[in-house]
Amino acid sequence: MSVVLETTIGDLTIDLFTKERPHSCKNFLKLCKLKYYNFCLFHHVQSNFVAQTGDPTGTGSGGQSVYGILSGKEARYYEGEKKPKIKHDRPGLVSMVNCGDNLIGSQFFITLGEDTTCSLDEHIVFGEIAEGHDVLLKLNETICDATHRPYQDIRITHTVILEDPYDDPDGLIVPGQSPEPPLEVLQSDRIGADEDITEDIDIEELEEKRLEKEALARATILEIVGDLPSADIAPPENVLFVCKLNPVTSDDDLQIIFSRFGKIVSCEVIRDKKTGNSLQYAFVEFDNQKSCEDAYLKMDNVLIDDRRIHVDFSQSVSKIKWLGKGRGVKYTDKDDEGKNISDKYSKYRNKKRDSYDSRNNYIKNKTSSHESKRYKKDDNNYRYRESEKEEKAPYSKYKKNEKDNYRRYENDDKMRKKYRNEGERRNEKDGKNEKGDKYKRSNRDDRDKRSDRIKRSDKYDRDSRR
């Protein structure tokens, strides 16, 4: 029982171990029958080790078994066979990838080294390459990046089943023709499988070519979602983007600093629409490209207002408006492309400021005129109302003073009573202290008299003894 894998670098014929691995062979055959492996990428190729594929997403984390396709995500994996044990002891062996706990999906790999038993012992060998060893040599010699992904796409284009001994599971619908290539294949950031690569090309050139394709793929996606009018459109080359600014840095400061490189068409620090605070980045437009390049080379990481700024070429194309398919684009600020991209923001800001000032002046004038009319209208009645109040209540203007005086007198009476009570308590305390002092003095006099009597009696006794 064999399967032919048609790839972009050649064909591989796989002989299956149907007796030793019946479940894995059945899963592989039915996936091939569903054209599941068409356009699958060899996403991991490690020289003298393995070449891995079988993931439709090309990331190494996708794929599912035929049972997952028929029954849902709960049956995404199946349990692989552990016995008999087959070692990875030679190149050309085909093994299903063990996703953990002996669970198998759709990914598989082909060994490229002589002895890889120690590191691949957990995976399940289910076949061997019978024809196409020259293709294995090409796989082994392909140039890859640091993540072991080939710079040039190597994909499975078609699978051909030479013999299938297994019955189809219930619900399996075989497609009548090969599926169309998915969008991921058409917008891949890698070198296409049909692109020629000369033998003299080095890794740096391959990386540069890959980055160009990646940028083009991103631009195409932005064009699809409507963020770019065209994938081939380019930002202006005379505008600098300056970021990491100090909030106190103003437009005039930047214009003075950058003017030494050439004439500046416009310079603007972008600010918050509501608060007017600086967003700490700006656009500086020069009248020519050379001045812009000189400023880019010399002003990056320069200290301005105690901040190290970062300078780069502007990538904004917001001034360009797409007119529709086949109609091209229009520059909203000016007919030529040299117009500053930040003028739109300047115009909007100035327009908004002018409208705000005019609105404030209008409200102020309207308010003042309305108030003056109202005061003029009531001016004649104002004096009459005041005089009428005085006639009806001639003493009303003294009521407030009388109330204040009454409160003041009331507070004074309270303070007098308080001081009087405190004086009485102090006198009582002083009287008690005087009585205590008299009692102490009388006790002291009594003690002195008693001691004098004792002394006289003692003296009398001594004299009588003599």
Side-chain angles (χ1 to χ4, degrees):
M1 284 43 130
S2 302
V3 175
V4 178
L5 294 181
E6 297 178 4
T7 70
T8 55
I9 58 174
D11 298 343
L12 295 169
T13 303
I14 303 174
D15 286 344
L16 302 177
F17 302 154
T18 54
K19 293 182 180 180
E20 295 84 356
R21 300 287 188 264
H23 298 300
S24 297
C25 291
K26 182 179 179 180
N27 176 63
F28 181 75
L29 284 170
K30 300 310 174 185
L31 288 174
C32 292
K33 204 168 185 178
L34 292 172
K35 310 299 182 184
Y36 186 81
Y37 290 121
N38 286 23
F39 306 108
C40 279
L41 177 72
F42 280 87
H43 59 269
H44 184 90
V45 178
Q46 198 167 349
S47 180
N48 296 321
F49 190 48
V50 296
Q52 186 173 340
T53 183
D55 179 9
T57 65
T59 60
S61 60
Q64 57 183 337
S65 67
V66 67
Y67 308 107
I69 297 173
L70 298 176
S71 303
K73 293 182 179 180
E74 295 180 355
R76 179 182 178 184
Y77 303 107
Y78 71 94
E79 188 174 359
E81 304 92 336
K82 294 183 179 180
K83 294 181 181 180
K85 189 173 183 179
I86 303 175
K87 295 183 179 180
H88 299 79
D89 55 359
R90 60 187 183 275
L93 292 176
V94 185
S95 295
M96 298 301 293
V97 176
N98 186 352
C99 299
D101 297 331
N102 204 37
L103 296 177
I104 309 300
S106 64
Q107 295 190 46
F108 64 93
F109 61 85
I110 304 171
T111 58
L112 303 176
E114 291 293 337
D115 189 5
T116 56
T117 302
C118 297
S119 56
L120 301 175
D121 193 31
E122 61 180 354
H123 304 287
I124 299 170
V125 179
F126 70 97
E128 184 178 8
I129 299 296
E131 296 178 6
H133 291 281
D134 56 334
V135 179
L136 290 184
L137 292 177
K138 291 180 182 179
L139 273 174
N140 194 40
E141 294 172 358
T142 187
I143 303 174
C144 302
D145 59 11
T147 61
H148 303 292
R149 181 173 176 178
Y151 283 106
Q152 185 178 24
D153 283 349
I154 302 175
R155 296 181 182 272
I156 299 172
T157 58
H158 193 60
T159 55
V160 179
I161 301 173
L162 300 180
E163 186 179 356
D164 184 6
Y166 303 105
D167 296 331
D168 293 342
D170 296 336
L172 185 69
I173 300 175
V174 180
Q177 59 182 3
S178 298
E180 294 293 330
L183 187 62
E184 292 80 4
V185 176
L186 299 176
Q187 296 181 352
S188 173
D189 59 348
R190 299 283 163 160
I191 302 172
D194 55 345
E195 297 183 31
D196 294 331
I197 299 178
T198 60
E199 296 181 357
D200 298 333
I201 196 167
D202 57 0
I203 297 177
E204 293 181 358
E205 293 177 357
L206 282 174
E207 180 66 19
E208 185 178 355
K209 196 171 182 181
R210 185 190 70 82
L211 292 175
E212 290 178 359
K213 285 206 66 179
E214 183 179 357
L216 181 60
R218 290 178 178 175
T220 305
I221 293 172
L222 291 176
E223 181 183 0
I224 291 172
V225 300
D227 286 353
L228 278 181
S230 174
D232 299 329
I233 200 168
E237 297 179 349
N238 62 329
V239 179
L240 276 184
F241 171 74
V242 186
C243 62
K244 298 183 179 179
L245 293 172
N246 194 313
V248 302
T249 305
S250 63
D251 305 355
D252 297 335
D253 298 337
L254 283 182
Q255 187 167 359
I256 293 171
I257 293 169
F258 281 89
S259 61
R260 65 189 183 96
F261 299 102
K263 183 179 178 181
I264 293 178
V265 178
S266 67
C267 176
E268 180 181 11
V269 176
I270 306 303
R271 301 182 179 276
D272 187 84
K273 293 181 180 179
K274 294 183 179 179
T275 62
N277 297 330
S278 171
L279 298 180
Q280 302 179 23
Y281 69 92
F283 291 98
V284 181
E285 182 187 8
F286 294 87
D287 63 341
N288 60 77
Q289 183 179 348
K290 187 178 181 302
S291 301
C292 185
E293 291 176 354
D294 294 341
Y296 169 74
L297 295 174
K298 295 182 180 180
M299 290 301 294
D300 192 28
N301 206 33
V302 171
L303 191 68
I304 297 179
D305 292 333
D306 297 331
R307 291 285 181 90
R308 295 281 179 185
I309 67 169
H310 175 66
V311 177
D312 199 355
F313 291 102
S314 174
Q315 302 298 316
S316 177
V317 291
S318 59
K319 68 174 183 177
I320 301 173
K321 182 180 180 181
W322 188 39
L323 300 178
K325 188 174 181 180
R327 301 179 184 175
V329 297
K330 177 184 178 182
Y331 290 82
T332 55
D333 292 338
K334 200 175 180 181
D335 294 336
D336 58 339
E337 299 182 5
K339 187 83 169 58
N340 178 23
I341 192 172
S342 62
D343 277 357
K344 180 176 68 174
Y345 303 106
S346 303
K347 284 185 176 181
Y348 177 75
R349 188 184 62 178
N350 296 333
K351 184 178 179 182
K352 187 175 180 181
R353 188 190 301 119
D354 295 340
S355 63
Y356 180 76
D357 294 340
S358 61
R359 182 172 175 270
N360 283 345
N361 294 331
Y362 173 75
I363 293 173
K364 187 184 296 183
N365 295 332
K366 187 175 180 181
T367 305
S368 59
S369 62
H370 179 72
E371 289 179 353
S372 61
K373 288 179 181 179
R374 182 168 59 85
Y375 288 140
K376 287 179 181 179
K377 185 177 180 180
D378 296 339
D379 185 47
N380 297 327
N381 299 328
Y382 179 74
R383 296 178 182 178
Y384 174 75
R385 287 197 300 268
E386 291 296 324
S387 60
E388 188 178 17
K389 287 180 182 178
E390 292 179 0
E391 291 175 0
K392 289 183 178 179
Y395 301 104
S396 60
K397 61 182 180 180
Y398 300 107
K399 286 184 179 180
K400 186 175 180 181
N401 294 333
E402 291 177 358
K403 289 181 180 178
D404 293 339
N405 293 332
Y406 176 75
R407 288 177 187 146
R408 193 181 301 114
Y409 295 150
E410 189 176 15
N411 292 333
D412 292 342
D413 292 338
K414 290 180 180 179
M415 294 299 292
R416 288 193 202 93
K417 290 180 181 179
K418 181 178 178 182
Y419 291 146
R420 191 183 302 115
N421 295 333
E422 289 181 357
E424 292 176 355
R425 286 197 295 272
R426 194 180 298 111
N427 292 333
E428 292 178 358
K429 187 174 181 181
D430 293 341
K432 291 180 180 179
N433 292 335
E434 289 178 359
K435 290 180 181 179
D437 293 340
K438 289 181 181 179
Y439 179 74
K440 290 178 182 178
R441 285 196 295 273
S442 62
N443 290 339
R444 196 183 304 116
D445 294 339
D446 294 338
R447 285 197 300 272
D448 292 340
K449 290 178 181 180
R450 196 180 304 112
S451 61
D452 291 341
R453 284 197 298 270
I454 292 170
K455 287 179 181 178
R456 284 196 299 271
S457 63
D458 290 341
K459 185 178 180 181
Y460 178 77
D461 291 339
R462 283 198 298 272
D463 296 336
S464 62
R465 290 192 192 100
R466 290 177 183 173

